[in-house]
């Protein structure tokens, strides 16, 4: 529709907006030029007001209290079936049946890095950005198994251009043209504490990415699912952008997921034992005969702190947000937009916006808004049999979430050195440790050298690593 008609378009939206209590959205429109009015009209028209009304009145939200949870059954690498399962996972990789999938559409507000989080320099010595760490694992996996691994990267409207430019500027980290595919996730309007949609500017609604659960719909709507089918991909290896220790194409996990009788091959997750009752990770649990995840904010303190007969946390299966999903499962789940919706979670956050009465810009110092997001793990209970595999925190989990303290760049870098120290020690190298048992040197082992202690066999290694030294292998 032409810009000339923008004023009419906005006027025609007025009754709908009034009925939904959202008429303030066009309150500042008379200050706008025709192009800006047209932009605003387009944004407002694309908002699902009915969905928003349901959510702001508490319907369509995830239920934290749907029955008493119990701990899930888990499998681990010491399982007697592990060797066969690993072979099955290797077969899938050798036959090019697996795609890597990174969700990188988040806003990364806690870290406060000026750019997409995947561009953050994460490794201990060379400061490799997260995206390069994943690319090198993909290249190393291809070296071993000989088949190409397509890599799907989900961005958001806010960081898509910068993310794609980063890959271009870095020559896709050596991956082939066509191997890296980008898809942009959807958004939801942010609302104030009374449910009124917020404006970021007079011509712009305040939008937030619709959560990592939006990745499933984005896979369908971008055409990625069809493309995967055409490429012969059967399984999607899902991981977040913020964990440099993630093992993104793990044959053992793939094998358990695809070939174990405890799995339907639809959706699986990896866990590590929680550090303590207060750690801010969701936990896997069973509820209503299904395996799923309860977010840490939804787990009552009494359950978070409950112990089993062995004195371990009863709900100890911390979710590290590493999943396998079959292409067929995502296809089925997203086939019907009316029935495929995952429930929304409500998060109260600080949202920079316009004062809805005066139109002045506000930088809130206290949470003033609500964001609605869906979470990918809510798809797990929809799988017929979802499998949870236990793994080691030292080997696989050191996320970068906060600027300092726990789960920060500093704690993640120490964890990377600790993992690599343990690999070297397993090969007879003497590594300096500090009084707390942490590696006392900065040690980076690159994926193309080794992705496990075993893969260091036959490599040239130092005899010892001295305190304070920096080592790249
Ligand atoms: P987080 O829950 O850590 O959120 O996302 P975040 O937005 O990155 O960071 P904060 O909370 O603002 O500090 C976990 C993973 O899910 C992705 C993130 O990019 C990260 O890989 N994510 C999150 C999306 O892809 N889209 C979203 O809408 C939300």
């Amino acid at each position: 529709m032409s810009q000339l008609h923008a004023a009419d378009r906005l006027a025609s939206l007025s009754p709908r907006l009034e009925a939904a209590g959202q008429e303030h959205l066009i309150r500042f429109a008379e200050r706008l030029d025709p192009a800006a009015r047209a932009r605003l009209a387009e944004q407002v028209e694309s908002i699902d007001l009915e969905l928003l009304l349901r959510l702001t009145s508490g319907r369509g939200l995830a239920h934290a209290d749907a029955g008493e949870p119990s701990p899930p059954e888990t499998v681990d690498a010491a399982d007697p079936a592990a060797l066969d399962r690993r072979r099955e996972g290797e077969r899938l990789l050798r036959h090019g049946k697996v795609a890597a999938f990174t969700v990188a559409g988040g806003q990364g507000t806690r870290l406060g890095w000026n750019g997409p989080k995947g561009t953050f320099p994460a490794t201990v010595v060379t400061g490799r950005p997260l995206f390069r760490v994943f690319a090198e694992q993909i290249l190393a996996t291809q070296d071993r198994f000989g088949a190409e691994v397509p890599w799907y990267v989900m961005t958001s409207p806010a960081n898509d251009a910068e993310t794609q430019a980063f890959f271009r500027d870095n020559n896709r980290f050596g991956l082939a043209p066509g191997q890296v595919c980008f898809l942009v996730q959807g958004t939801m309007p942010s609302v104030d504490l009374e449910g009124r949609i917020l404006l970021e500017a007079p011509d712009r609604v305040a939008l937030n990415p619709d959560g990592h659960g939006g990745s499933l719909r984005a896979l369908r709507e971008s055409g990625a699912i069809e493309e995967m089918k055409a490429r012969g991909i059967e399984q999607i290896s899902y991981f977040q952008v913020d964990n440099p220790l993630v093992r993104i194409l793990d044959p053992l996990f793939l094998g358990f997921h695809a070939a174990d009788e405890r799995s339907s091959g639809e959706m699986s997750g990896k866990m590590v034992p929680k550090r303590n009752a207060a750690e801010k990770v969701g936990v896997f649990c069973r509820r209503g005969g299904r395996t799923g995840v309860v977010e840490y904010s939804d787990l009552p303190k009494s359950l978070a702190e409950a112990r089993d007969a062995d004195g371990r946390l009863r709900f100890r299966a911390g979710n590290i947000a590493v999943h396998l999903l079959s292409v067929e499962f995502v296809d089925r789940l997203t086939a019907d937009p009316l029935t495929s919706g995952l429930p929304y979670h409500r998060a109260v956050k600080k949202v920079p916006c316009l004062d809805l009465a005066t139109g002045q810009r506000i930088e809130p110092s206290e949470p003033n808004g609500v964001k609605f997001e869906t979470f990918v793990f809510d798809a797990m209970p929809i799988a017929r049999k979802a499998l949870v595999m236990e793994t080691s925190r030292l080997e696989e989990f050191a996320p970068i979430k906060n600027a300092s303290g726990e789960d920060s760049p500093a704690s993640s870098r120490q964890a990377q050195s600790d993992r690599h120290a343990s690999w070297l020690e397993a090969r007879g190298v003497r590594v300096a440790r500090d009084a707390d048992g942490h590696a006392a040197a900065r040690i980076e082992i690159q994926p193309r050298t080794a992705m496990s202690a075993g893969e260091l066999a036959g490599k040239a290694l130092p005899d010892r690593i001295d305190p304070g030294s920096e080592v790249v292998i």
Side-chain angles (χ1 to χ4, degrees):
M1 200 184 285
S2 87
Q3 291 176 7
L4 285 177
H5 296 127
D8 294 346
R9 262 170 97 181
L10 286 175
S12 72
L13 284 169
S14 191
R16 257 185 75 214
L17 290 175
E18 254 172 57
Q22 305 288 3
E23 65 280 6
H24 59 277
L25 283 179
I26 54 177
R27 187 170 296 156
F28 309 109
E30 72 272 14
R31 301 182 194 168
L32 301 173
D33 64 30
R37 282 188 200 192
R39 273 198 303 277
L40 180 63
E42 197 165 310
Q43 275 202 345
V44 172
E45 280 165 359
S46 70
I47 297 174
D48 186 339
L49 289 171
E50 267 173 45
L51 171 64
L52 214 58
L53 191 61
R54 268 195 286 135
L55 298 178
T56 53
S57 57
R59 289 168 290 138
L61 292 173
H63 290 296
D65 54 353
E68 179 79 357
S70 61
E73 188 191 355
T74 58
V75 297
D76 70 28
D79 190 296
L83 195 58
D84 283 350
R85 300 294 174 260
R86 182 184 297 279
R87 287 207 190 98
E88 174 57 20
E90 289 173 352
R91 190 191 68 76
L92 290 169
L93 289 168
R94 203 171 307 113
H95 289 87
K97 299 291 179 199
V98 187
F101 180 34
T102 311
V103 287
Q107 295 173 307
T109 41
R110 285 170 289 172
L111 181 62
W113 170 245
N114 184 17
K117 219 191 223 188
T119 67
F120 185 80
T123 67
V124 186
V125 181
T126 64
R128 277 170 154 62
L130 287 153
F131 283 134
R132 180 178 288 281
V133 173
F134 308 142
E136 289 181 354
Q137 277 198 45
I138 290 172
L139 289 165
T141 304
Q142 293 180 169
D143 291 347
R144 282 169 190 57
F145 297 104
E148 184 176 277
V149 177
W151 183 15
Y152 291 83
V153 179
M154 184 179 82
T155 62
S156 72
N159 71 16
D160 181 64
E162 223 183 317
T163 304
Q164 293 211 37
F166 191 70
F167 275 76
R168 258 195 321 276
D169 294 347
N170 286 283
N171 201 17
R172 298 176 309 278
F173 311 105
L175 295 163
Q179 187 176 358
V180 187
C181 313
F182 296 92
L183 44 134
V184 184
Q185 73 175 105
T187 53
M188 283 290 285
S190 308
V191 300
D192 71 6
L193 301 175
E194 278 80 52
R196 289 174 302 181
I197 298 171
L198 291 168
L199 284 166
E200 189 178 83
D203 64 339
R204 265 203 322 276
V205 173
L207 298 172
N208 59 266
D210 61 0
H212 41 66
S215 63
L216 303 184
R217 186 158 293 165
L219 281 172
R220 166 173 290 277
E221 288 178 359
S222 64
I225 287 295
E226 285 311 310
E227 191 182 281
M228 286 178 186
K229 287 197 224 162
R231 279 174 140 152
I233 299 294
E234 292 172 5
Q235 296 294 344
I236 301 168
S237 182
Y238 167 107
F239 58 99
Q240 300 190 158
V241 75
D242 53 18
N243 176 17
L245 289 190
V246 67
R247 191 162 282 166
I248 65 180
L249 295 156
D250 177 358
L252 184 64
F253 186 36
L254 273 164
F256 270 117
H257 167 73
D260 196 273
E261 61 284 354
R262 289 162 286 185
S263 165
S264 58
E266 294 171 307
M267 183 164 181
S268 298
K270 266 192 188 178
M271 63 142 283
V272 302
K274 269 179 75 170
R275 200 158 35 206
N276 51 44
E279 185 178 2
K280 289 184 172 176
V281 289
V283 288
F284 290 101
C285 67
R286 297 273 297 166
R287 207 146 51 177
R290 300 277 171 157
T291 299
V293 171
V294 182
E295 249 316 54
Y296 61 87
S297 45
D298 292 335
L299 190 68
K301 197 159 179 273
S302 58
L303 293 183
E305 292 177 348
R307 303 265 165 188
D308 63 18
D310 300 326
R312 299 180 312 176
L313 288 175
R314 193 160 165 253
F315 293 95
R316 57 195 274 281
N319 173 23
I320 61 168
V322 174
H323 295 288
L324 288 166
L325 298 112
S326 73
V327 172
E328 188 272 327
F329 179 61
V330 179
D331 193 18
R332 178 157 57 77
L333 202 71
T334 55
D336 179 351
L338 290 177
T339 56
S340 69
L342 298 176
Y344 281 84
H345 296 250
R346 183 180 182 276
V348 179
K349 300 256 171 113
K350 288 186 227 166
V351 183
C353 62
L354 299 189
D355 181 311
L356 295 181
T358 63
Q360 296 301 309
R361 174 101 182 152
I362 310 173
E363 292 295 334
S365 54
E366 294 298 320
N368 62 323
V370 175
K371 296 182 178 180
F372 293 106
E373 296 184 331
T374 59
F375 294 160
V376 74
F377 54 69
D378 281 327
M380 259 185 120
I382 301 169
R384 286 189 298 276
K385 280 193 280 180
L387 176 134
V388 181
M389 185 174 123
E390 175 158 354
T391 187
S392 127
R393 181 185 294 267
L394 174 71
E395 286 288 331
E396 301 193 35
F397 190 51
I400 297 174
K401 297 276 187 197
N402 305 310
S404 59
E406 273 188 2
D407 300 336
S408 65
S411 69
S412 177
R413 289 187 187 123
Q414 182 63 59
Q416 294 171 55
S417 289
D418 288 347
R419 176 175 85 171
H420 297 148
S422 79
W423 290 4
L424 289 168
E425 285 166 343
R427 313 262 23 125
V429 178
R430 272 177 300 136
V431 181
R433 298 258 176 189
D434 67 16
D436 297 324
H438 290 298
R442 299 204 279 162
I443 313 170
E444 180 167 328
I445 299 181
Q446 299 186 334
R448 291 187 96 170
T449 307
M451 292 193 287
S452 65
E455 290 178 3
L456 282 176
K459 303 274 154 98
L461 302 176
D463 294 333
R464 49 183 285 180
I465 292 180
D466 293 326
S469 54
E470 282 190 345
V471 182
V472 180
I473 297 173

